Amino acid sequence: MKKGFLATLMISAGIIACQPAPQAAKEEHKNTFSKATTQKTSKKSSKEKEFLKALGAQDKWQKACSNPVQVAPEGVDVTKFIEEMKATIKYPADGKLVGDWKKGESLALLPKEYKALYGRKGGSKKGNCYACHCGDPRIIACGNIGPSLRGYGKKGIDPKMTYDRIYNPWAQVPCSTMFRFGYHGLLSPEEIADIVAYLHDPESPINK
Amino acid sequence: MKKGIFASLLGGALFLVNAEAPTPEQLKILKEMGVSPADVIVEEGRDYYHNLKGTTGKTCASCHGQDGANLVGAYAKMPRYYTDIGKVADVDLRVKACLEKYVGVNAKGKKGRKYIVPLAGYVATLSNGMPINIELKHPEEKRLYEYGKELWYKRVGARDFSCAICHDVLAGKRIRLQKLGAPVRDKLYAHWPAYRISKDKLWTMEDRIRGCYKSFFLFNPEKGKFDFKENWVKKPPFYMEEIIALELYMKKAANGAKVEVPGLIR
């Protein structure tokens, strides 16, 4: 018992990992810090510039959500916001909105979750659904930020609704904490269709 | 030495849990058990403070007094503006500046963190029991505070996150099994720097903020949409103004809370 706790304590890695080593310091000459300093400074400032570019990549909808309330857009018309978000949604070329649930499962689970369940490689960092949702009862380390997805396929929800909600949650709930997977290209249309199958298929562990 | 104490500490722990993260109660027990491994790191900082010499031949103690006599209470007012370096510095940047400018030690990069983190931890303990008091007197401090507030609410990156979404809106909820705290509302700055049990490391607030930014999936838009390999901008570099701005925002919110460091976190 005691050992178990210690082990989990030591191996448990949150969604936030520790930082990679910054560029290892260049060879060091005693008494000549000024030289080393200018070298490193120019290097670092390019990293700073890159970070600022990334911070500057805010789109107008994110901007509208950047207020103290956070989950309601400010200074824009909500109906228009939703329409604009809907217009971003793209569908798979073959028009199939329900794909392969097994592939969907591998996208929804982290590699370590997949390995724990099936003992083989699989999983992905892209979906990370269990950070916020519970669903497959075998996955106990699940978040409670979104509603449980347990039995989701039995609710009679239109798969297209599910597809849209994953592609761009902000087309249904502006400024939701669930991020816009398809809009940002985190998941492709085909991958989203696979996740839709994972949520809807009666054979999926979500509904079993 | 450090490892030994950590091992014996863990050996004596009696927890009956199988969850991923220890609860605050369990962390409290760990703390009450006496020797915190964090104290060993702080001791290391005290040792550097009195003995580390660089090209100038001076130690920290040469200027700031034996046992940090002249730095008592300083951490409670940081980050603040310093005329000798012409900018607002947090404890990390201040220690780094003193190491490079006055002691003559190269404190760049990862190697620098080896000195800076224990020294920052030591300097922070010199304010233990004193109330945090961020005054925002200098115009630069005011500017950075406002900037920090803006960054706190800024939804950005491929995950549409902001600090506030996790730490105001979702505070109290769980991401997986990790409970989200409310650093602003609950004045959590009071226990930073903190010892991270799971990593066996002392973390300053800079480390914490950089770690949280990693979850945003920030990306360089010049190279298209987010891609793990192509354009993921994981973290701001250390000592960047944006980090110090967020620290100023969170620490001002903690005004009045008594410094109690090093804290103990998962």
Side-chain angles (χ1 to χ4, degrees), chain A residues 57-74:
Chain A
Q58 195 191 36
D59 71 29
K60 67 172 186 178
W61 301 284
Q62 287 177 325
K63 190 159 190 231
C65 302
S66 296
N67 61 66
V69 178
Q70 292 282 300
V71 285
E74 209 175 75

Side-chain angles (χ1 to χ4, degrees), chain B residues 163-174:
Chain B
C163 314
I165 204 85
C166 281
H167 293 301
D168 287 345
V169 178
L170 301 176
K173 297 230 177 195
R174 282 184 285 108

Side-chain angles (χ1 to χ4, degrees), chain B residues 41-59:
Chain B
I41 302 172
V42 169
E43 265 317 300
E44 203 184 308
R46 176 201 291 276
D47 187 38
Y48 290 145
Y49 181 92
H50 292 102
N51 301 314
L52 180 69
K53 278 189 186 154
T55 51
T56 68
K58 291 199 163 123
T59 66

Side-chain angles (χ1 to χ4, degrees), chain A residues 33-34 36-37 40-41, chain B residues 55-56 93-109 112 116 239:
Chain A
F33 295 115
S34 51
T37 304
K40 287 293 285 188
T41 308
Chain B
T55 51
T56 68
L93 181 58
R94 182 64 252 184
V95 169
K96 178 171 184 280
C98 281
L99 275 169
E100 290 178 335
K101 215 172 145 89
Y102 301 128
V103 180
V105 164
N106 186 346
K108 301 286 170 205
I116 292 169
Y239 322 116

Side-chain angles (χ1 to χ4, degrees), chain B residues 138-211:
Chain B
H138 194 277
E140 269 297 285
E141 295 168 1
K142 291 194 182 105
R143 180 183 71 82
L144 276 190
Y145 172 82
E146 290 302 328
Y147 186 33
K149 187 175 180 179
E150 181 192 327
L151 289 171
W152 179 259
Y153 291 118
K154 184 166 189 171
R155 306 277 306 259
V156 65
R159 278 180 163 173
D160 299 317
F161 280 163
S162 65
C163 314
I165 204 85
C166 281
H167 293 301
D168 287 345
V169 178
L170 301 176
K173 297 230 177 195
R174 282 184 285 108
I175 287 235
R176 291 233 145 67
L177 294 177
Q178 271 174 288
K179 186 131 179 233
L180 291 165
V184 169
R185 199 205 304 138
D186 296 341
K187 299 181 187 275
L188 296 180
Y189 213 122
H191 68 226
W192 283 87
Y195 176 75
R196 269 198 90 181
I197 300 166
S198 57
K199 301 264 184 234
D200 187 18
K201 270 204 165 111
L202 189 67
W203 261 25
T204 69
M205 191 54 94
E206 291 227 2
D207 297 300
R208 179 65 272 176
I209 292 173
R210 293 178 78 240

